[in-house]
Amino acid sequence: MTSHRTAQTMKPATAAKKLGVYLQATPAEFQEGVVSRSELDALQADPPEWLLDLRRDGPHPRPVVAARLGVSIAGLARGGVTEALTTEEIQALREDLPEWLQRERATQAEVRKEAARIREKNAARDDEPRRPRS
């Protein structure tokens, strides 16, 4: 007996997240339907013009905005950025470098430094020979 496999589908919000785009900026037919795994793979392999435009010009979802600014998503919120931004708006922030962005970048640098220190400490501990217990 052979089982019939159904296509795995996802909500448009999930597909938009996987594609790294802001759902509200996608075409209506994308927002209103469901996306199969094969359709998502096709969009990633050969993006249509609307997807290329969104990835290039935005508006971008907060995770993309945070990455492009070099801060965390929480840092964006602390800086008052709660909406999607276009590439142009992100570039303007990078050029103006407001105080909150400088502060959040410094915080992010400290977080990364601490994470690296912990990784190194754990790697050194893992490399130590094990002592038998008495």
Side-chain angles (χ1 to χ4, degrees):
M1 177 185 246
T2 308
S3 65
H4 184 284
R5 300 185 94 195
T6 58
Q8 183 183 14
T9 60
M10 61 192 83
K11 295 178 183 176
T14 304
K17 187 175 183 179
K18 289 180 181 287
L19 292 169
V21 295
Y22 186 57
L23 177 63
Q24 287 77 1
T26 60
E29 58 271 8
F30 181 87
Q31 293 180 38
E32 294 165 1
V34 294
V35 181
S36 71
R37 173 63 66 189
S38 59
E39 290 170 331
L40 179 69
D41 291 343
L43 286 170
Q44 289 174 325
D46 186 24
E49 194 62 35
W50 65 263
L51 183 54
L52 292 172
D53 290 344
L54 277 178
R55 286 178 170 169
R56 182 183 54 247
D57 302 326
H60 304 286
R62 288 183 307 160
V64 173
V65 173
R68 289 188 177 189
L69 290 175
V71 299
S72 66
I73 295 172
L76 283 180
R78 286 189 294 268
V81 178
T82 58
E83 297 298 318
L85 298 180
T86 64
T87 300
E88 191 175 287
E89 292 168 324
I90 293 168
Q91 190 58 39
L93 280 173
R94 292 172 79 180
E95 289 170 3
D96 294 344
L97 210 57
E99 184 181 323
W100 71 266
L101 183 54
Q102 294 175 40
R103 188 174 53 250
E104 291 302 330
R105 281 182 167 177
T107 300
Q108 191 70 7
E110 286 298 316
V111 167
R112 288 185 184 122
K113 195 163 97 177
E114 179 65 9
R117 185 190 68 77
I118 291 170
R119 272 193 309 275
E120 288 172 8
K121 179 181 173 186
N122 289 342
R125 185 186 68 215
D126 291 344
D127 290 343
E128 290 178 3
R130 304 271 185 216
R131 291 189 208 159
R133 292 187 181 188
S134 305

